[in-house]
Amino acid sequence: MGSGLAAAAVAGSVGIGTASASVPSSQRFDLTQPSYDLFRGKSLYQGTVMQSFTFDNVNRRLFVAQLRNGSGSDAAGDLCITQLDFAGNQIGHMFLNGFGHGVSIGVEPVGSTSYLWTEVDSVNARGTRLARFPFTSGTTLDHTSPVLNKHLPIAGVDTVTCATDPVNQRLVMRYRTGGAFRFAAYTIADVRAGNYSNRLADIAQPSGLGTFQGYAVYGEYVYMLDGDAYSGTNPPPGNAHVSSLNLNTGAFTRAVTNAGGSLSYREPEGMAVYRTVAGETRLFLGMASGTTAGARLANIFYKNVLI
């Protein structure tokens, strides 16, 4: 199970809601600015909606998480990871059994290998720990696989997921305690090494959000996506919002997003950060589309104005 769990009791003694350092200051994305298309209407390896995605900023790869096909996949926590190129074409896939719901995933490049960070050990369809493992196309991993390096930076919590900042090499874990969600920030290197004592930030998720659909981290800000699919009670333009939360101060901003407003179905699903070869940092958000359940499509958009 890796050294991470052995250190969990020590990490828990730090105390929920404490931080021993702070996240260095940074610019934030202007959420009121327009969104641009990366791609629209692309199929994944399974026909379910996309749940989240992440970019390997070194090897220039894109990974998308979704539930596996089948009515029992959500309850079992069975996921599929599809690797796409930046035009949305499928390159490979991997199955993960007993991991969770896939609300958010991260990635850590090591040489030419992409190590994924995901939730694992699903209970009630949600992960209870974090796992790190190499993406290996065409393979299936069970949640008990010895390949997994598992971590629980804060003891006694549940509904654990993570996102990675590819520019600053940090990891933010979203977790639930006492029925409420919080975000805790670390360096990726510390979590990988099982050193959880240097928590950079730990802050409550703001109240008043709609259906939580994903998050990303860049610098001192966590970005959140919330909203529901189009329906009779949520007709176009829908209720999708993007928000930012300063991990150090708690400053909070929220804005409506019209990204992909013309899509059919259009359910907000996932966020990520990527820096282009030319050096432009982008905040990405996903939307699932497709008029038929079991034949959903992936759509990814981005914002690129920092203030």
Side-chain angles (χ1 to χ4, degrees):
M1 297 179 75
S3 62
L5 289 181
V10 175
S13 67
V14 173
I16 291 171
T18 67
S20 59
S22 62
V23 182
S25 61
S26 68
Q27 292 180 295
R28 68 175 176 87
F29 287 97
D30 186 344
L31 304 181
T32 66
Q33 294 300 309
S35 299
Y36 304 97
D37 292 21
L38 180 66
F39 58 71
R40 295 190 183 210
K42 299 300 182 178
S43 61
L44 303 175
Y45 193 73
Q46 304 282 267
T48 57
V49 300
M50 61 187 295
Q51 294 290 339
S52 60
F53 56 98
T54 190
F55 291 93
D56 178 333
N57 218 109
V58 172
N59 296 297
R60 309 295 172 183
R61 296 169 181 154
L62 169 60
F63 301 96
V64 182
Q66 60 182 151
L67 296 175
R68 292 188 66 168
N69 289 340
S71 59
S73 291
D74 191 10
D78 295 344
L79 301 176
C80 176
I81 307 292
T82 303
Q83 183 184 348
L84 304 174
D85 65 21
F86 289 2
N89 301 305
Q90 293 184 36
I91 295 176
H93 75 280
M94 190 174 186
F95 288 133
L96 310 175
N97 293 333
F99 277 62
H101 192 70
V103 170
S104 185
I105 62 173
V107 64
E108 177 192 358
V110 180
S112 61
T113 302
S114 299
Y115 281 82
L116 296 180
W117 285 89
T118 71
E119 65 194 293
V120 73
D121 293 340
S122 177
V123 175
N124 297 323
R126 295 297 187 272
T128 57
R129 294 178 175 86
L130 300 180
R132 177 184 182 269
F133 56 93
F135 177 83
T136 308
S137 184
T139 64
T140 298
L141 284 183
D142 188 78
H143 69 101
T144 60
S145 170
V147 172
L148 303 176
N149 180 228
K150 295 183 180 180
H151 298 271
L152 185 59
I154 303 173
V157 304
D158 63 15
T159 313
V160 175
T161 56
C162 69
T164 49
D165 179 343
V167 178
N168 299 290
Q169 300 303 305
R170 299 191 192 103
L171 179 146
V172 165
M173 180 179 76
R174 180 176 181 256
Y175 66 93
R176 187 175 64 178
T177 179
F181 282 98
R182 300 184 64 88
F183 296 100
Y186 305 84
T187 67
I188 294 175
D190 276 349
V191 179
R192 182 180 66 242
N195 174 19
Y196 313 135
S197 60
N198 188 31
R199 202 181 313 178
L200 301 176
D202 195 314
I203 194 166
Q205 177 180 300
S207 61
L209 300 179
T211 303
F212 193 90
Q213 299 284 18
Y215 62 105
V217 56
Y218 174 65
E220 64 179 324
Y221 291 91
V222 167
Y223 297 90
M224 296 158 284
L225 181 65
D226 69 90
D228 303 290
Y230 286 161
S231 67
T233 57
N234 183 43
N239 62 3
H241 287 76
V242 289
S243 305
S244 69
L245 173 68
N246 187 300
L247 288 163
N248 293 317
T249 69
F252 176 65
T253 62
R254 190 165 183 253
V256 171
T257 177
N258 294 314
S262 63
L263 295 172
S264 62
Y265 182 76
R266 188 184 181 256
E267 183 176 9
E269 296 286 1
M271 299 191 83
V273 168
Y274 176 72
R275 179 170 283 177
T276 68
V277 174
E280 181 180 84
T281 307
R282 297 176 174 178
L283 176 66
F284 286 82
L285 56 150
M287 297 284 172
S289 68
T291 57
T292 305
R296 302 300 188 195
L297 301 173
N299 309 266
I300 295 181
F301 309 88
Y302 67 90
K303 295 179 181 293
N304 60 358
V305 177
L306 286 162
I307 54 178

